[in-house]
Amino acid sequence: GGGGQQWNTTLQFIVASLRVLCSNRVFVIVTQCMKIGNLYSVRQDSTQKDGIFSASALFIYEIKCILGAECEVVTQAVRLLAEKLDISRPLLLSLTVPALNHSTVIHIAEILLEHKCW
């Protein structure tokens, strides 16, 4: 186990990266509301040709809202974060940011990559 917590004062995010659930999963909380919101499960898969992975394989992300009400805007933000973070292990992500847009999600990804624990 272990974990870390980082503040970004510009946008007042709190990012907590916890590895307490199990060693093959990453749990990340991003919030501006000081609480855990919807919880999304993200799994990375790749396209194959004849059962063989190639260097040019495209990654596909399976995203499920496992806690809370599903929202298309947040689901798309989770997908964008997953693409930017490029985590091969399953990801549990809580994203509680009231005003989500493309540039905010990119900024969150940059913060997470700067302080990653996976």
Side-chain angles (χ1 to χ4, degrees):
Q5 183 172 308
Q6 299 293 327
W7 285 92
N8 179 295
T9 55
T10 306
L11 293 176
Q12 299 178 347
F13 289 115
I14 183 170
V15 176
S17 303
L18 308 171
R19 291 179 289 172
V20 295
L21 297 177
C22 53
S23 62
N24 68 340
R25 186 176 310 268
V26 177
F27 181 32
V28 175
I29 302 166
V30 178
T31 183
Q32 285 182 311
C33 305
M34 300 306 292
K35 64 181 180 177
I36 294 178
N38 291 3
L39 189 61
Y40 288 83
S41 171
V42 181
R43 292 186 181 273
Q44 184 186 72
D45 200 0
S46 66
T47 57
Q48 303 177 38
K49 185 173 183 177
D50 301 322
I52 300 171
F53 291 100
S54 71
S56 63
L58 297 174
F59 289 110
I60 299 167
Y61 294 90
E62 177 188 338
I63 299 179
K64 293 181 183 175
C65 182
I66 57 175
L67 179 66
E70 190 165 3
C71 169
E72 186 61 30
V73 171
V74 179
T75 301
Q76 291 302 319
V78 168
R79 183 175 310 282
L80 180 57
L81 272 176
E83 290 170 359
K84 296 295 180 189
L85 298 178
D86 192 30
I87 300 173
S88 59
R89 291 184 288 171
L91 171 66
L92 285 176
L93 177 63
S94 175
L95 185 60
T96 313
V97 179
L100 278 173
N101 58 47
H102 187 269
S103 62
T104 301
V105 175
I106 297 299
H107 189 69
I108 291 168
E110 291 169 353
I111 294 168
L112 288 171
L113 288 171
E114 185 178 326
H115 302 287
K116 70 180 180 179
C117 68
W118 57 89

